Amino acid sequence: MQNRGLIKFFAILFALVSIYQLTFTFVASKVKSDAKAFANGNQEKEIKYLDSIGKEKVFSLGFTDFTYNEVADKQINKGLDLEGGINVTLQISVKDVLKTLANNTQNPVFNKALADAKKNQQGNQSFLDAFYDAFEAASAGTGTKLSSPDVFGNRNLADQINDTKSESQVKAVIAKKVDESVESAFGVLRERIDKFGVTQPNIVKLGNTGRILVELPGAKDVDRAKKLLSSTAQLEFWETYKVEEVGNYLMAVNDALKKTEKTVVAKDTTANKGSKINELLGAKSKDSAAATKGNNPLFDKLMPFQQGGTVIGMIAVKDTAAVNAYFKRADIKAMLPSNLADVKFTYGKAKSDEAEAVEVYALKGNRTNTPPMSGSVLVEAADTFDQMGKPAVSMQMNGKGAKIWEELTGRVYSQKNSIAIVLDNIVYSAPGVTSGPIAGGRSEISGSFTLEETKDLANVLRAGKLPAAAEIVQSEVVGPSLGQKAIDNGTTSALVGLLLVALWMLVYYGKAGWYANIALVINLLFLFGILASLGAVLTLPGIAGIVLTLGTAVDANIIIYERAKEELRHGLSLVDAVKKSFSWTGAMRSIIDANVTHVLTGAILYVFGTGPIKGFATTLLIGIVTSLFTSIFITRILLDRAVAKGTKLEFANSWSKKWFTGYNFDFLKVKKFSYGFSLAVTVISLVSIFFVNGLDQGVDFVGGRTFQVKFEKPVVASEIAEELSKVYGVTTEAKVFGGSDQLRITTKYKIEEEGVAVDEEVNKMLFEGLSKHFPGMTYEKFITLTEGKTLGMLSGSKVSAAISNDIKTNSFWAVIGAMLVVALYLVVSFRKLGYSLGALAAVAHDVIFVLGVYSLCYKFMPFHMEMDQHFIAAILTVIGYSMNDTVIVFDRIREFLAGNLKGDFKHIVNESINTTLSRTINTSLTMILVLAIMFVFGGESIRGFIFAMLIGIVIGTYSSLFIATPVLVDTLSKKDKEEIEKRHAELNK
């Protein structure tokens, strides 16, 4: 081998760099272990410990020192499925951004386009593109353009958009403004999470989708984290109406609703509502019938207060949606007197998480719906305590804000009403002014706050408001106890897989097996070194990718060793056999073709995958590169050294020398049987998929929420499903997950609705529905992901309908794209269409077979077999390995067809397959061995994922021999076959 010295140099250098990079991970893990021991389960104490030593030196190389913060930045980070924590994908509302850019226009074409875009948006289509399509349809024949003065050509954008601009130019400006809004949101969220109190938070923009991924490793308070991230921090200050100013209108509304709303008459034993109504108006009840609950559609929901205050009344949280609908009705709006024309009815902040009722306020709105003062005037906000010693938030305004504040407080003082401090449409407090106008621009928000709430509120006010609503379209929460279990399972499967693969190589290849194993260990060192240098995040599927690398790492060695054995049997010396096996005409062409197809499918998986799936693709791709380097170069150096020393190498042990050799099976003779069998399987699979069982589509594809719940005792899944279906009012699924005391619960309740309040409602309903199984447990204990938690909710995830459409679309094109790209490569490499057709037929057969198994078996298998992103990753991996097997066979067919082997066309093809059986079976056996270990030890969460690959590898081996090759033979023209036979006959005269 030429340049052996240079390769040795780079290998040693690469090994040293890898060790150097991995050292930071070991040091960081040691410091974290010390922090955990010091905190003794107290997360806040643990974070403070790590913060306190952030700038202290914890690692020295002699010539330089590193602080803990520097070490932590260079380590391999663990994903949420290993560390525990919260993962949220936020969708910045492009709809809100467009409304702002259009200056909240009332243009009917614009507003219809917005509504239609939301309704008609296709999977993987951006909202902006959907809006353009909808605007084009809505504006047809109206003369309205994007640049119209009452659309985007308004005074706010007049310097960039006017009638002289073309539609494409206007679209470019709008796209730029939307990107700026996403960038602004990214900056705001980064500031917020930096102060949230978790180690190594991660925030990433997801391409140009308007989505932002936020990961909070170690975060345990689910509801608090979601509120912090999705809060727009839209701070506003409004004047309020007093009770007596809106009382007559509310009474008129109640009377009008009596004529349109159905009522249920029931005696109210808790309060005299009729007298309350009259107290509102300053009169006494004259009609005892008013005391009967059910006669007052509005006041049966909204309990009015007496005169003199600015709190209009109280309302149950569950009734707010109905009352909002009342006030939005056109006939009810028409009843508004001129002095209340722009009134805004708003609700106060709940006093506690358990509070069932909130206060109602009437704010003095205006035509433009802009508050007298907004949060943009704030220059500082801090958590503090009010005069009563209760948690509060103090605010300091700039000069402009101070002047407005003085005018506003002066006006409120003279009118004896209040200033409502509104954050994201919720009234946090509504203080009056008792001592005249307030100068200086300082104010305070007080109310029913906890210490954490004031810290978070001050944080979001300091960081600034989001430019538009941030909807949580996908989320996942994983408890730390599950994370540790995943690490244990992953480590076990990796070690057992490594040992068994190494043992097999020794058993089958003897001394040469040692060299393959040394290359395997170096391969793992390089792999982890690259992951560390890239700052990669290691996930559970990522560990699966590493374990799979163990199988692929020996694949190239198997191809090389089998070729060397063949050359030795043909009479070549050991030196020449090794040289031949590493040549392009030996094993290299097969290795390169097989791995290129694998890289192509891995790259497509990386492009279309998200989160953990991208981590799986990353480790798989890096593993392919490092495996090739170690198998081709490191193994070659070790073999050449052994040969130079005169070591006897037969690439086998005495008992394994003739394994998988001497076959003379007629594969083409049984093609009718294999076609018939495969056709029957394909038909059965398609009938099951489309007409009988269908597929168990997970929340990734249809949207929904999934919870993993651990019970104290075994439960019956069907009974739990029935109980929760009654609570949610929609069909809810519950499946055993690992053991009969642990369930995977899925519901689509309110999945179309966005917002933290909805997420919290779903969580609370889950707890209420299961509370009898958790006696004495509070909601906080049930939902919070504490260290060592063994009961309650251990993990949860949400995928909105919008993002599930994108995932489904991406998955479809990923599978189709992988098949077409690899087929195109085979056409280029083999220069015959028949090779691509054979490979495509085999891969399509394998995909349908795996889908069929999942369709036929998901109802009774003891592990979940859902169609989700993990399943698509498995399908793409199956495509890669199926192509790998097929290419090995096709390469030998190409070699023999171009050679001088005696016999007719069918004999040459059969001989080609028979001589590659040892390579095909060995490669498949090592993969099946590794996958079987992962299936047993890898953990419940990836068992369905591994099962798909296990089935795929088995059927892929079959299809490469019995489907791909016969299709290749049948698609080659008669003329090509005759030319091949004629040439071989002439060569063998």
Side-chain angles (χ1 to χ4, degrees):
M1 180 176 64
Q2 295 179 347
N3 300 317
R4 185 181 292 117
L6 187 62
I7 291 171
K8 282 183 181 179
F9 170 76
F10 278 113
I12 293 170
L13 181 63
F14 201 2
L16 291 174
V17 170
S18 297
I19 292 170
Y20 167 77
Q21 292 287 353
L22 289 173
T23 304
F24 294 105
T25 300
F26 291 123
V27 173
S29 297
K30 174 66 170 59
V31 175
K32 282 184 179 179
S33 297
D34 293 342
K36 282 185 180 293
F38 173 78
N40 197 25
N42 186 322
Q43 187 196 15
E44 191 171 340
K45 195 174 179 181
E46 180 182 335
I47 291 170
K48 285 182 179 178
Y49 176 91
L50 293 174
D51 286 341
S52 68
I53 65 168
K55 296 182 180 180
E56 290 185 14
K57 296 174 182 177
V58 295
F59 178 50
S60 176
L61 283 175
F63 58 89
T64 186
D65 298 319
F66 296 92
T67 65
Y68 172 70
N69 287 341
E70 291 171 332
V71 167
D73 286 340
K74 295 176 181 293
Q75 69 173 326
I76 297 178
N77 295 314
K78 289 181 288 191
L80 296 188
D81 48 3
L82 299 177
E83 180 82 4
I86 300 170
N87 173 316
V88 169
T89 300
L90 295 160
Q91 174 75 66
I92 302 303
S93 176
V94 177
K95 179 180 179 181
D96 287 355
V97 175
L98 293 177
K99 287 171 72 174
T100 301
L101 292 174
N103 204 20
N104 293 311
T105 181
Q106 298 303 308
N107 182 290
V109 171
F110 174 82
N111 287 306
K112 184 178 188 306
L114 279 184
D116 290 347
K118 182 75 172 176
K119 182 173 62 177
N120 300 330
Q121 186 178 2
Q122 301 296 313
N124 221 26
Q125 182 187 34
S126 72
F127 182 86
L128 194 56
D129 288 338
F131 168 76
Y132 290 148
D133 292 343
F135 188 88
E136 185 178 348
S139 62
T142 67
T144 304
K145 299 190 297 183
L146 292 172
S147 58
S148 296
D150 58 344
V151 186
F152 295 113
N154 55 68
R155 61 184 180 182
N156 294 336
L157 295 173
D159 59 330
Q160 300 177 66
I161 297 176
N162 52 56
D163 286 335
T164 64
K165 300 290 185 182
S166 67
E167 292 289 275
S168 60
Q169 289 175 316
V170 174
K171 288 180 180 180
V173 173
I174 296 170
K176 182 181 177 183
K177 292 293 182 182
V178 169
D179 288 342
E180 287 174 356
S181 296
V182 175
E183 191 66 42
S184 173
F186 183 78
V188 170
L189 288 169
R190 178 174 289 285
E191 284 194 46
R192 289 186 190 179
I193 66 172
D194 282 345
K195 298 177 179 65
F196 183 66
V198 294
T199 56
Q200 296 174 306
N202 182 41
I203 176 170
V204 181
K205 284 193 300 180
L206 302 178
N208 296 317
T209 62
R211 292 176 182 148
I212 297 173
L213 172 68
V214 179
E215 293 180 318
L216 303 175
K220 299 176 176 66
D221 192 334
V222 179
D223 292 338
R224 178 191 171 203
K226 288 185 176 180
K227 285 176 184 175
L228 178 78
L229 293 172
S230 62
S231 169
T232 59
Q234 192 80 25
L235 182 65
E236 300 171 338
F237 300 85
W238 296 88
E239 290 182 64
T240 65
Y241 286 106
K242 290 181 283 191
V243 175
E244 53 267 28
E245 292 177 289
V246 298
N248 283 325
Y249 172 67
L250 294 179
M251 189 68 178
V253 170
N254 186 64
D255 290 338
L257 291 173
K258 288 180 182 180
K259 300 174 184 177
T260 61
E261 300 300 299
K262 293 180 180 180
T263 60
V264 179
V265 178
K267 188 70 177 179
D268 185 358
T269 59
T270 60
N272 190 322
K273 294 278 182 79
S275 61
K276 285 287 183 184
I277 295 167
N278 285 281
E279 285 176 12
L280 174 71
L281 301 175
K284 293 184 179 180
S285 174
K286 295 181 180 180
D287 187 357
S288 61
T292 306
K293 186 174 182 179
N295 284 346
N296 303 291
L298 177 62
F299 295 127
D300 284 340
K301 295 178 175 66
L302 191 161
M303 168 70 94
F305 280 5
Q306 297 184 25
Q307 296 182 36
T310 54
V311 179
I312 303 303
M314 296 292 293
I315 187 172
V317 175
K318 63 182 179 63
D319 291 331
T320 54
V323 171
N324 285 340
Y326 291 158
F327 287 135
K328 287 179 181 178
R329 277 173 40 172
D331 58 327
I332 299 301
K333 281 184 176 181
M335 296 168 57
L336 282 166
S338 58
N339 66 311
L340 297 177
D342 299 307
V343 66
K344 295 175 57 175
F345 290 100
T346 313
Y347 306 111
K349 178 182 178 294
K351 302 296 182 185
S352 66
D353 288 337
E354 288 77 28
E356 297 181 357
V358 292
E359 295 172 334
V360 184
Y361 295 86
L363 309 184
K364 291 186 177 182
N366 51 53
R367 279 184 149 187
T368 59
N369 197 34
T370 53
M373 190 170 75
S374 71
S376 61
V377 301
L378 292 186
V379 293
E380 183 55 46
D383 53 300
T384 183
F385 296 91
D386 62 17
Q387 295 178 346
M388 304 296 291
K390 294 181 179 179
V393 175
S394 65
M395 300 177 294
Q396 177 62 52
M397 304 166 190
N398 59 23
K400 178 183 176 182
K403 184 178 179 181
I404 299 173
W405 183 245
E406 187 171 0
E407 293 173 357
L408 184 59
T409 53
R411 193 161 59 246
V412 168
Y413 172 73
S414 63
Q415 295 174 357
K416 304 301 180 187
N417 57 341
S418 299
I419 300 174
I421 301 174
V422 183
L423 182 69
D424 292 340
N425 294 318
I426 296 175
V427 178
Y428 273 66
S429 61
V433 180
T434 59
S435 57
I438 302 173
R442 285 203 72 84
S443 62
E444 186 176 82
I445 305 177
S446 58
S448 301
F449 294 113
T450 65
L451 283 172
E452 283 185 340
E453 284 176 330
T454 56
K455 288 180 185 296
D456 288 346
L457 182 54
N459 181 6
V460 296
L461 292 178
R462 281 195 301 270
K465 69 178 183 179
L466 291 174
E471 301 169 346
I472 297 177
V473 293
Q474 188 174 14
S475 64
E476 183 177 13
V477 294
V478 180
S481 55
L482 279 183
Q484 187 57 51
K485 185 177 180 182
I487 293 173
D488 295 341
N489 290 336
T491 303
T492 301
S493 62
L495 289 175
V496 174
L498 175 63
L499 290 174
L500 286 180
V501 169
L503 182 61
W504 174 255
M505 294 301 288
L506 290 176
V507 167
Y508 193 77
Y509 291 110
K511 288 181 182 179
W514 280 109
Y515 305 137
N517 289 338
I518 292 171
L520 178 61
V521 172
I522 295 173
N523 173 43
L524 289 176
L525 175 63
F526 288 173
L527 173 58
F528 279 106
I530 293 174
L531 289 174
S533 63
L534 293 176
V537 177
L538 191 60
T539 62
L540 188 55
I543 290 179
I546 290 170
V547 177
L548 278 174
T549 299
L550 303 180
T552 57
V554 297
D555 180 30
N557 280 136
I558 289 172
I559 297 173
I560 292 167
Y561 286 2
E562 290 299 320
R563 186 67 187 219
K565 283 164 66 176
E566 286 181 15
E567 300 304 335
L568 288 174
R569 284 196 294 268
H570 291 158
L572 289 184
S573 66
L574 180 59
V575 174
D576 291 336
V578 170
K579 187 177 180 180
K580 176 69 174 178
S581 63
F582 279 93
S583 69
W584 181 252
T585 56
M588 286 305 103
R589 189 167 190 171
S590 296
I591 291 172
I592 297 302
D593 280 336
N595 280 279
V596 167
T597 58
H598 212 171
V599 166
L600 289 173
T601 54
I604 288 172
L605 183 59
Y606 181 85
V607 171
F608 287 98
T610 59
I613 303 306
K614 198 176 284 285
F616 170 75
T618 301
T619 54
L620 199 61
L621 288 170
I622 294 172
I624 292 169
V625 175
T626 56
S627 296
L628 281 174
F629 179 81
T630 53
S631 299
I632 295 172
F633 296 111
I634 302 300
T635 305
R636 177 69 185 274
I637 289 172
L638 295 173
L639 285 174
D640 284 350
R641 186 182 177 197
V643 171
K645 286 184 174 182
T647 304
K648 184 180 179 182
L649 288 175
E650 295 182 349
F651 299 95
N653 283 306
S654 57
W655 62 82
S656 64
K657 187 179 294 187
K658 294 188 178 181
W659 288 2
F660 311 127
T661 59
Y663 288 107
N664 192 26
F665 187 76
D666 192 343
F667 288 90
L668 297 182
K669 187 177 181 180
V670 298
K671 71 176 182 179
K672 289 183 179 179
F673 172 80
S674 61
Y675 280 167
F677 169 75
S678 294
L679 180 62
V681 169
T682 300
V683 170
I684 292 170
S685 296
L686 292 175
V687 168
S688 179
I689 292 167
F690 292 106
F691 303 105
V692 183
N693 288 337
L695 289 161
D696 187 15
Q697 296 191 59
V699 295
D700 282 358
F701 282 6
V702 296
R705 292 176 174 85
T706 299
F707 305 94
Q708 186 176 335
V709 180
K710 184 72 179 291
F711 296 81
E712 190 173 1
K713 299 176 182 177
V715 292
V716 179
S718 59
E719 293 178 0
I720 297 294
E722 188 176 347
E723 291 171 5
L724 290 175
S725 295
K726 291 177 181 177
V727 172
Y728 286 123
V730 297
T731 302
T732 300
E733 296 180 353
K735 299 177 182 177
V736 173
F737 193 77
S740 56
D741 61 345
Q742 186 168 260
L743 297 182
R744 185 184 177 97
I745 297 166
T746 303
T747 180
K748 294 183 177 66
Y749 176 71
K750 286 193 175 181
I751 194 59
E752 297 288 346
E753 298 183 29
E754 302 293 350
V756 175
V758 176
D759 292 344
E760 195 170 340
E761 178 189 352
V762 175
N763 291 347
K764 286 183 175 178
M765 291 174 74
L766 175 70
F767 173 68
E768 289 167 8
L770 300 177
S771 57
K772 71 177 184 181
H773 300 282
F774 298 95
M777 183 178 286
T778 63
Y779 168 74
E780 286 73 20
K781 191 173 180 181
F782 176 82
I783 206 77
T784 304
L785 308 174
T786 54
E787 197 81 41
K789 185 176 182 181
T790 56
L791 290 177
M793 194 189 86
L794 302 183
S795 72
S797 64
K798 166 195 169 183
V799 179
S800 72
I803 206 167
S804 67
N805 285 335
D806 289 359
I807 292 172
K808 188 183 293 186
T809 303
N810 281 343
S811 299
F812 172 80
W813 287 114
V815 173
I816 298 299
M819 294 170 66
L820 294 179
V821 167
V822 172
L824 181 62
Y825 172 77
L826 292 181
V827 169
V828 173
S829 179
F830 286 84
R831 300 182 184 181
K832 288 284 184 181
L833 183 61
Y835 289 100
S836 282
L837 293 176
L840 271 178
V843 167
H845 166 274
D846 298 344
V847 170
I848 292 172
F849 191 100
V850 175
L851 289 171
V853 169
Y854 268 60
S855 176
L856 291 166
C857 302
Y858 77 83
K859 291 184 177 180
F860 59 83
M861 277 292 192
F863 51 88
H864 75 97
M865 300 177 72
E866 293 180 350
M867 283 276 291
D868 55 16
Q869 289 191 84
H870 291 85
F871 180 81
I872 296 302
I875 289 292
L876 288 173
T877 307
V878 166
I879 290 174
Y881 281 108
S882 179
M883 289 289 187
N884 191 317
D885 277 345
T886 302
V887 164
I888 290 174
V889 176
F890 279 4
D891 187 75
R892 179 52 61 93
I893 292 174
R894 175 175 57 184
E895 180 186 344
F896 276 20
L897 289 179
N900 58 1
L901 190 69
K902 291 182 180 180
D904 61 13
F905 180 80
K906 288 185 178 181
H907 172 75
I908 296 170
V909 171
N910 275 317
E911 189 67 16
S912 303
I913 303 172
N914 280 295
T915 55
T916 59
L917 272 182
S918 57
R919 288 190 284 176
T920 301
I921 294 173
N922 242 323
T923 300
S924 298
L925 276 180
T926 53
M927 286 307 309
I928 290 169
L929 186 65
V930 169
L931 289 170
I933 294 302
M934 292 174 66
F935 182 77
V936 174
F937 296 105
E940 187 65 33
S941 60
I942 61 169
R943 193 154 285 150
F945 164 60
I946 297 301
F947 183 72
M949 284 196 284
L950 194 55
I951 295 297
I953 297 302
V954 173
I955 198 64
T957 303
Y958 158 80
S959 68
S960 65
L961 299 174
F962 294 96
I963 300 298
T965 304
V967 170
L968 165 63
V969 170
D970 290 341
T971 53
L972 281 178
S973 67
K974 184 178 180 181
K975 182 181 178 182
D976 285 342
K977 294 175 185 177
E978 288 175 350
E979 286 181 0
I980 291 169
E981 288 182 344
K982 181 179 178 181
R983 183 166 50 80
H984 278 254
E986 291 176 353
L987 289 171
N988 287 285
K989 283 182 180 178

